[in-house]
Amino acid sequence: MSELTEVIRRTFSLETWEVILPAIGDTLYMTSLSTLLMAVLGLILGTALFVTRPDGLRPVRVFYALFGAVINALRSLPSMVIIILTLPLAKLIIGRSIGPGAVIIALALTCIPMFARMVEGSFLEVPRGKLEAAKSIGARNWELVLKVALPEALPGLIRNFTIAVIAVISVTALAGFFGGGGLGDVAVRFGYNRFLTHMMVAAVLALIVIVELVQLGGDAWAKHIVRKRHL
Amino acid sequence: MMSEPFISIQGLNKTFWGAKRSVVAPVEVLRDIDLSIPQGDIFGIMGFSGAGKSTLLRCLNRLEEPESGSVRIGEHDVCSLSHEQLLVFRRKIGMIFQQFNLLEARTVVGNVSFPLEVAGQRSAERRARVDEILELVGLTDRRDFYPGQLSGGQKQRVGIARALANEPIVLLSDEATSALDPQIALNVLDLLININQRLGLTIVLVTHQIEVIKYACRNVAVLENGRIVERGSVREVLTNPTSETMKVFMQVNSEMTSGGWKEGAGI
Ligand SMILES: Nc1ncnc2c1ncn2[C@@H]1O[C@H](COP(=O)(O)OP(=O)(O)OP(=O)(O)O)[C@@H](O)[C@H]1O
Ligand SMILES: [Mg+2]
């Protein structure tokens, strides 16, 4: 039997997936918790950016400038560096610096700044006139954000969110290097360190399928809303 | 004897300063505007593009902060309202726009009930009021449509319905018919006139279309480079224009109606 068919056979063998399946579970666990953190904090921070911009609803120049600088600084650091920097932090907060739980904070930290900018950007896409019209009605700032900017920006926001989730997944894989567990961990420990090519292939396949599903889901969600609104 | 004006603007100035520390020279957009508008009027504001019409209109509900001067509407001293008071005051000033500015995330009903939500009405009250207004603007059969499913004229009717929801004392219209085809524009103007007559609502109407002034307005003021250069009843101003702006408008209008190339204008 050739080497290639042997790799293919072993890629889809039971003992490979006995390792991969739990890793998928870990990846999904890390991804969903990090995504949740990212969504909540990213939405809050992105809204804060949108509101405090110099041309925003309630400009706070100092805040916007400082905060923007911090976000840009975080964004310019490679994810790997952020993970290394935050693992001690994880130890402080949850008492350990390895395992899926530990990397969640690192994951969230790398992706929150990106998603916050995405939220700001999506809100900026809403035509000013719509906000003005709502202002002319006497709407308060929180109503302008929650009842105008957010719902009007929703399709774009969902598309950005999809991209952000996929970024989380890819950083999750990277976090495997640092004892985070999950598919990245499998790819590195078995595939790279022990030259078990079939493990690497299986882990990559699983990642591709997960990313593809997220993308399909996000697209369908955004499209559903666009259709419903007849845009 | 002149009755007390309903809207009274005195010594209004507005300058756009540009960004802080920017080299761009400040733009003086409104200069010493004095204007009185009687209650129940349909008052036109005319002028070329960039004359400051929109800015003047937006000073009436403080979407634009006047730099100096005073604006009174009814018993409200608009410029001295605190932020909280301003929000409540704005409920009483409806506004409609050239681009309609409807919320695409909401149906017709949702758009019209938005101002009622903002005003804190309960959903039962809102429903009754929305039905009433949709009836008034003739959109009852489109109530569950999204703006994306409506024509321009229908969208503007929704805009009008939204502006009327909180029973305003003034309706501000910024080029509300400019994006519509002439027949639909006429329909929308008829609706505004009808509302003016039925509700006695004062309407301030910004336009650069002389036909709109002729058709809908009783009084008109002409803006030129941020100053009012002419004002009076529409009949006076149209029969005896004195400002450069109005003369040009009249001339263009008459050339258009008499037909250009047929007369052999060298093309
Ligand atoms: N936010 C702003 N910052 C700086 N300049 C402004 C701003 N808004 C308006 N202007 C300037 O003020 C002047 C008047 O603008 P305005 O929109 O009131 O004109 P308008 O008469 O409504 O014109 P149009 O018929 O084109 O709508 C223009 O020269 C414009 O460039
Ligand atoms: Mg304008």
Side-chain angles (χ1 to χ4, degrees), chain A residues 6 9 20-21 26 36 43 48 102 121 154 179 197 219 223-224:
Chain A
E6 176 61 9
R9 191 191 63 76
I20 296 291
L21 281 181
D26 281 350
L36 191 70
L43 272 173
L154 201 54
T197 311
D219 285 348
K223 205 167 176 183
H224 167 74

Side-chain angles (χ1 to χ4, degrees), chain B residues 2 4-5 22 43 77 82 90 97 103 106 119 132 134 145 154 159 166 168 180 200 216 223-224 267:
Chain B
M2 263 289 276
E4 180 88 343
S22 90
F43 190 96
D77 181 356
S82 70
R90 279 181 180 157
F97 308 84
L103 300 179
R106 290 172 175 240
E132 196 180 329
L134 288 183
F145 282 41
Q154 291 167 335
N166 277 321
L180 304 173
L223 270 181
E224 209 172 278
I267 298 173

